[in-house]
Amino acid sequence: MRFLLTDEQREFGRSLDALLTAADTPAVLRAWAAGDHGPGRALWGRLADAGVFALAVPEAYGGVGPLPVEAAVACVELGRHAVPGPVAETMAAGALLAGAGGPVAEEWLPGIASGAVVVSLTLEGYGPYAPDADAADAVFIVTGDELRLAPGPGRLSASVDPARRLFRPEPGGAPVAKGPAIRPAARAAGDRAAFATAALALGCGEELLRATVAYVKQRTQFGVPVGSFQAVKHRLADTLLGLEFARPLLYGAAVELAEGSPGAGAAVAAAKVTAGEAGYAAARTALQLHGAVGYTEELDLAWWLRRARPLRDAWGTPSACRARVLAG
């Protein structure tokens, strides 16, 4: 299958790139990591105005979705610019709450679509942590056939990425939906979270590669740019191949999700493991080729370096995704 984005989809990606380039995301990331969510929430609002979060919400609740292909375009750009906040979790909440239906969907989905509401969540099988729960307006927890609203963000845990803060939500909380519809809604939400994370990982890897190529062109050794060395060229070429191989898997999974294919879950898992590994490989290449400067806090690229591995492992570790592909 040959997959090409439409002119409108490509223009959507370019418009988001321009918006985020002007937003100074490294400054937003530093503020977010320090617990100041103001700049991040302001950026979140601008992204919502551009229609990003409405892509995950059905039209019946004020959204324009679900539109997985456009969501992939958006999340790749958000990953390239390392936008902070529970992006994948908020996207997944669109599927979770729409599947649950009833008052909880009517209460929360319009706010997600408009950007007024930021949501984090935890699902069985994906670990106990809710990313950026302290910045979220709601933290949803699924246990069996029950959907609950956590009473608070809970305890902060250590994270490799200081701008992706992990919380173990407080126990308890009132159930907001119950019944047999919750389990399939949770499965759909898990797939959407993995899918969005795959797109974020791909975008993160793209930015790491771009910054590294620019750096090796200007860094010199023995009087010539280090980018002219054959070993450096090979390393960068391998990184590029990994990212380019992941791209069609991501958009192929988007098509499967859009069509409601029975194999969509396996397609998402394939995209997740490939994009996650490619993004992490790009981080390792960037760290090596930047040399000692790659370890410094002052280098903006450090925020992307720290993000690549958590994105690889979030919402489906490589081993779990490979197992799902084989089972599917």
Side-chain angles (χ1 to χ4, degrees):
M1 178 176 67
R2 188 181 182 200
F3 184 88
L4 293 174
L5 296 173
T6 66
D7 291 340
E8 291 80 6
Q9 289 164 343
R10 287 193 292 269
E11 181 56 34
F12 179 50
R14 286 191 291 267
S15 68
L16 291 177
D17 178 43
L19 184 157
L20 292 167
T21 299
D24 190 15
T25 51
V28 177
L29 283 162
R30 287 184 168 87
W32 192 275
D36 177 8
H37 303 128
R41 289 295 295 255
L43 177 58
W44 195 278
R46 293 198 291 275
L47 290 170
D49 291 341
V52 170
F53 302 108
L55 297 170
V57 176
E59 292 183 21
Y61 298 101
V64 297
L67 295 175
V69 176
E70 286 76 7
V73 172
C75 287
V76 168
E77 292 302 325
L78 269 59
R80 284 208 312 116
H81 291 273
V83 172
V87 172
E89 293 72 25
T90 297
M91 291 282 192
L96 175 64
L97 299 179
V104 66
E106 296 171 359
E107 179 180 0
W108 292 100
L109 285 177
I112 291 174
S114 69
V117 170
V118 176
V119 173
S120 191
L121 53 81
T122 66
L123 301 174
E124 287 183 307
Y126 290 101
Y129 297 112
D132 300 304
D134 61 330
D137 300 291
V139 179
F140 291 101
I141 302 171
V142 175
T143 306
D145 290 336
E146 187 175 87
L147 173 63
R148 292 183 290 112
L149 186 60
R155 178 170 54 87
L156 177 64
S157 299
S159 174
V160 173
D161 180 0
R164 187 175 184 274
R165 294 151 60 87
L166 300 177
F167 290 82
R168 189 185 291 266
E170 293 179 6
V176 291
K178 293 182 180 181
I182 300 301
R183 289 181 188 269
R187 286 194 295 270
D191 286 344
R192 295 304 172 114
F195 174 71
T197 304
L200 293 169
L202 178 61
C204 179
E206 287 180 347
E207 175 58 20
L208 286 163
L209 178 60
R210 183 208 63 78
T212 305
V213 169
Y215 181 73
V216 299
K217 286 181 179 179
Q218 66 182 14
R219 179 187 170 194
T220 60
Q221 193 172 14
F222 309 118
V224 296
V226 298
S228 66
F229 299 161
Q230 199 72 6
V232 172
K233 291 180 179 180
H234 286 172
R235 185 68 184 267
L236 292 170
D238 288 343
T239 302
L240 176 62
L241 284 174
L243 294 168
E244 290 303 314
F245 184 72
R247 191 184 316 281
L249 291 177
L250 176 69
Y251 287 111
V255 172
E256 296 272 4
L257 286 170
E259 295 177 349
S261 167
V268 168
K272 175 64 172 59
V273 67
T274 309
E277 294 281 29
Y280 182 51
R284 296 182 65 175
T285 296
L287 185 60
Q288 181 180 18
L289 297 186
H290 275 81
V293 72
Y295 289 92
T296 61
E297 287 279 349
E298 291 77 10
L299 184 71
D300 287 343
L301 196 70
W303 296 96
W304 280 259
L305 289 170
R306 290 175 169 181
R307 181 152 293 201
R309 183 163 182 172
L311 288 175
R312 184 196 71 170
D313 295 338
W315 296 107
T317 63
S319 59
C321 288
R322 289 189 178 96
R324 188 171 186 188
V325 171
L326 291 172

